[in-house]
Amino acid sequence: MAEELIISEDLSPTLYSQDFNAHYHSLHGAMTETMVVFIDAGLNFKLKEKAHINILEIGFGTGLNAFATLLNLPMDAEINYVTLEKFPLSGEITDDFIGKLNLDQQAIALYQAIHACPWGDFQKIVPSFNLKKIRVDFLEFRTNYFFDLIYFDAFAPDTQPELWDGELFGYLYERLVNGGVLTTYCAKGIVKRKLKEIGFVIESLPGPPGKREITRAIKQS
C-alpha cells in the first residue's frame, strides 16, 4: 500500500492512501476527530457505567484510536482492546507518523509499544491496557468474546461499501453486550437506517470540525 503523510488542521498527522483514495483521519484534525468520535462518544460514555471495558476496533490503521484510548484511561479503569486490520502499515510509515505528533518521550514509547506489539495474542502495554491486534478481513472475523464498545473506523462507505451493507453490522450487534455501544464518524442516512433495522438505537451527536454529526448506536438491554 502507498501512503502519504499529511499534517491536519489541528497539527496532528493523518495518512492519505493512494490505493483507497482516502484519508485515514480527518484533514480538519486527526486527533480531534479521534477524541470526539471514539473517546468522548464511546470510551468516556461507557466509563460512566463500568471501569472494566472490552473494546473492539474495526480498523487499527495508524493506531491513533488505541493510543488515545490508552492515554485517556482513568486510574481505576482496565481495558481489553481487540483491534482488526487487513492491511497493516509498514514500520517506516508508523515511525514517521509518530514522529509528527507533539509527544513527550514517555508517550512516544507507549505509541511505539502499541505498534511493536506482535499480532495475534493479548499483550500488556501497561497494567491497565491489554492489546490484541488481529490481521484479518473484517468480514471474516469471528470471535467468542463479547464487547462493551466498538470503534467502527473503516474507510467510508463510498470507499469500502461492502463493510457498510449490514452484514458486518449484524455480526457486531451479536457480539455486543446488552447496553453495548458502537461509535462511528459516519452519519449517512443509509448507514443509520441499516443500524436501526438491525436493532440499534441511534443517537446523532455533534461532530468534530468538518462534520456536522457523528453516530452512536446502542444495543438496548
Side-chain angles (χ1 to χ4, degrees), residues 14 16 51 72-73 75 129 153 178 193 195 207 213-214 217:
T14 183
Y16 170 73
N72 285 276
L73 287 186
M75 292 293 293
F129 189 86
D153 200 17
N178 289 334
R193 286 192 294 273
L195 289 167
E213 291 182 348
I214 62 172

Side-chain angles (χ1 to χ4, degrees), residues 110-143:
L110 289 175
Y111 210 148
Q112 290 173 332
I114 287 172
H115 279 285
C117 174
W119 295 78
D121 296 304
F122 271 111
Q123 304 289 327
K124 192 173 291 293
I125 306 301
V126 298
S128 59
F129 189 86
N130 303 302
L131 175 65
K132 183 176 184 179
K133 301 189 301 187
I134 303 175
R135 184 170 183 172
V136 66
D137 185 316
F138 302 154
L139 294 174
E140 297 176 359
F141 173 67
R142 295 294 181 269
T143 183

Side-chain angles (χ1 to χ4, degrees), residues 1-70:
M1 296 180 68
E3 290 82 21
E4 176 188 356
L5 194 148
I6 299 170
I7 302 301
S8 67
E9 290 181 10
D10 68 359
L11 303 184
S12 61
T14 183
L15 295 176
Y16 170 73
S17 169
Q18 296 178 12
D19 294 329
F20 286 101
N21 188 28
H23 293 93
Y24 279 68
H25 310 287
S26 172
L27 289 173
H28 295 281
M31 180 61 83
T32 301
E33 178 187 47
T34 287
M35 291 300 299
V36 171
V37 179
F38 301 111
I39 304 306
D40 293 341
L43 179 67
N44 293 341
F45 181 74
K46 292 305 296 180
L47 284 174
K48 294 176 183 177
E49 303 172 359
K50 56 193 301 188
H52 187 129
I53 297 177
N54 295 324
I55 297 176
L56 173 65
E57 178 184 34
I58 307 299
F60 175 67
T62 66
L64 188 61
N65 299 333
F67 176 65
T69 299
L70 174 56

Side-chain angles (χ1 to χ4, degrees), residues 155-172:
F155 283 130
D158 292 343
T159 303
Q160 291 185 301
E162 70 277 9
L163 302 181
W164 302 82
D165 68 357
E167 177 185 346
L168 180 55
F169 286 140
Y171 181 70
L172 297 179

Side-chain angles (χ1 to χ4, degrees), residues 88-121:
L89 296 168
S90 70
E92 182 180 0
I93 290 291
T94 58
D95 286 346
D96 286 346
F97 185 90
I98 295 170
K100 295 299 183 182
L101 284 163
N102 184 23
L103 302 173
D104 59 33
Q105 289 302 310
Q106 183 178 10
I108 289 174
L110 289 175
Y111 210 148
Q112 290 173 332
I114 287 172
H115 279 285
C117 174
W119 295 78
D121 296 304

